[in-house]
Each structure stands twice: as C-alpha cells, then as structure tokens.
Amino acid sequence: MTSIVIPAHNEARVIGRLLEALLADSGEDDTDIVVVCNGCTDGTAEIAAGHGPRVRVVEIPVPSKHAALRAGDDHALGFPRLYVDADVVLTSAGVRALTGPLTDDASGVLATAPARRVPLRGCAWRVRAYYRVWQRLPAVREGLFGRGVIAVSKEGHARIAALPPLMADDLAASLAFTPRERRVVDAAEVVVRPPRTWRDLMRRRVRAAVSTTQLEQRQGPGGASARTGVADLTALLRREPELLPCVAVFLAAAFLARRRAAKAVREQDFGTWLRDDSSRQD
C-alpha cells in the first residue's frame, strides 16, 4: 500500500483541496493518508478528519515539520511513501505515476517527484519575472526540491530518514540521491502556488538563503549544491535574450535575500520559519 504523509501547520484554508484531489478516483485500498497536524491552532484537524475514514489525523503539540514527518512515518503503513506539503495540489493519478518507477526494481530509481506547474496569474509583475527565470534553471528543472512532493521507495526512505533536521528538507532530500537514483515524472503534475506579492517572495527567498546556508554548513566543503551560478544565467540569456529584464529582477531578489539572511546566518538562527500566506489564498 502506498502511504502519503502530509505535515500540516495551520493549513485549514488549503488542506481540503489537497485531500479532495488525492481521494478522487482512487480505491479504498490504494492509499493510506496520514495528516500530521503539528501545533495547529485552527481547524486543520477537523477539516482533514471530515474527509472520511481513509484520512487518518495525527496531532502533535510541536509546530515542527521535521517532527511531523517523523510522526507520520510512525503511523504510515507502507511503501512507496509520499511526503506532500499541505499547500500544493496532487491528484490520485499523479500518485500512481510517481510510485510506478519506485516499484520497478530494474529502474534503480529510489526517489521521484512530479512536474511542477506554477500558476502566475494574479501575481505581481516582479514575481512573474522572477519565476520566468527560476523555472528555467537546470537545478530547478532536474532537482526534486521546490515541488512540495517527494516519493521514495523503502530503500530511498532509509536514505532520507538518516538526514538531520534541516529547514531545506526537500533540497537535502533531493541531493541525497544521485541523478540516476532520482527522477522527475512528467506524467505526474503538482500545482505549486507562488507568492503573489514581492514582499512574500522575499520572505521565501530569505528562508531559502538561510536554509541553503545551513545545509552547506552541515555538508562541509565539497558537498553537493543546487545554487544558481553565473554560467547558468549566461546560458539562459544566450538562449532567450529577451529575458534580460527578468534576469535583472532575479538577481535583485537573490542579492536582497542574501543580505537580509545574513543576520540569521550570523546568529545561526535556523529555526525561524518565514511563512508566505499569500500563496494559500484561493
């Protein structure tokens, strides 16, 4: 049986749309869904429980994604296993597409993630410009991070279960596998809602800058990286020179994020979570 673990902290506005998509067109014995409400003060648990007996709700008092994932593992029944952020949308067909390569012993694939669709309608123009560049970067296209979903086999699960608590948990999980061991499955699609405002984009980018630094400190010199280099942006402009204004916005966001993240990095504050609520609007 495929198990789906959904860590959820105050996700009452969005948990319903994810569960409805996962439950539609799937049999009673197809999936085991565990929603781990961590430190919730809203109606997340009640809404999740209202989707019937196929959704099991676990509540823990600590608002911690890492603790929620571990609690989900304690209650999940089988493999392959998916970890799904509460604010994305993934269908039951997408789940089946993701688990296919993981059940094929000959594939050598230990971890999969879906293709990413980022609807930019309603976003500020600088946010749209930023994502026009970000979505074209090689590391973003090929990595499993930034999708809100990762699926692993039993062997793959052992690999990520050994990782320490990190803010950049999806990036760390992606880098834990070689390119041959991980696969982006185009037949599965996840809707990842972007921030709508420049302010909320910067909150995400500051969080990313802090969490990437934490990961690099843990890895030490020579560790795998997914940072964007000058060569990546140069190659992009050679292919699509009309993106020059968008690249300028991208660089401005990167510069400002690193500058604003510097204080947290100096103080080794890797626990403050800068949440973007604009992406959780319908």
Side-chain angles (χ1 to χ4, degrees), residues 57-164:
V57 177
V58 176
E59 296 188 69
I60 61 174
V62 182
S64 163
K65 183 177 180 181
H66 182 79
L69 292 172
R70 298 291 75 83
D73 277 337
D74 290 341
H75 289 82
L77 299 178
F79 291 97
R81 188 164 298 171
L82 281 77
Y83 301 96
V84 182
D85 288 352
D87 61 330
V88 303
V89 178
L90 178 72
T91 66
S92 56
V95 171
R96 291 190 290 271
L98 289 172
T99 58
L102 300 174
T103 57
D104 180 2
D105 293 336
S107 73
V109 175
L110 305 181
T112 61
R116 179 195 300 110
R117 181 164 67 86
V118 184
L120 294 173
R121 184 177 179 181
C123 296
W125 72 267
R126 286 186 295 179
V127 174
R128 296 196 304 271
Y130 178 90
Y131 275 95
R132 286 190 70 191
V133 175
W134 184 79
Q135 293 187 89
R136 288 169 165 80
L137 297 174
V140 173
R141 293 199 314 268
E142 299 163 10
L144 306 184
F145 61 90
R147 302 172 190 274
V149 179
I150 185 169
V152 292
S153 64
K154 190 172 185 177
E155 182 181 351
H157 172 264
R159 184 94 48 99
I160 64 172
L163 295 172

Side-chain angles (χ1 to χ4, degrees), residues 8 14 45 65 76 86 101 134 136 170 177 184 208 215 224 265 270 277:
V14 295
K65 183 177 180 181
W134 184 79
R136 288 169 165 80
D170 58 343
F177 302 99
V184 175
L215 175 59
V265 171
F270 299 124
D277 283 317

Side-chain angles (χ1 to χ4, degrees), residues 158-193:
R159 184 94 48 99
I160 64 172
L163 295 172
L166 293 164
M167 286 180 70
D169 57 320
D170 58 343
L171 176 58
S174 179
L175 296 177
F177 302 99
T178 67
R180 293 184 64 181
E181 292 174 330
R182 64 178 187 248
R183 180 181 298 175
V184 175
V185 179
D186 291 334
E189 181 183 79
V190 64
V191 179
V192 179
R193 285 175 167 77

Side-chain angles (χ1 to χ4, degrees), residues 1-4 22-33 51-56 77 92 96:
M1 175 179 285
T2 298
S3 283
I4 302 172
L22 289 173
L23 292 169
D25 190 33
S26 65
E28 186 170 336
D29 298 327
D30 289 347
T31 53
D32 159 47
I33 302 175
H51 282 77
R54 293 181 55 197
V55 178
R56 292 186 289 133
L77 299 178
S92 56
R96 291 190 290 271

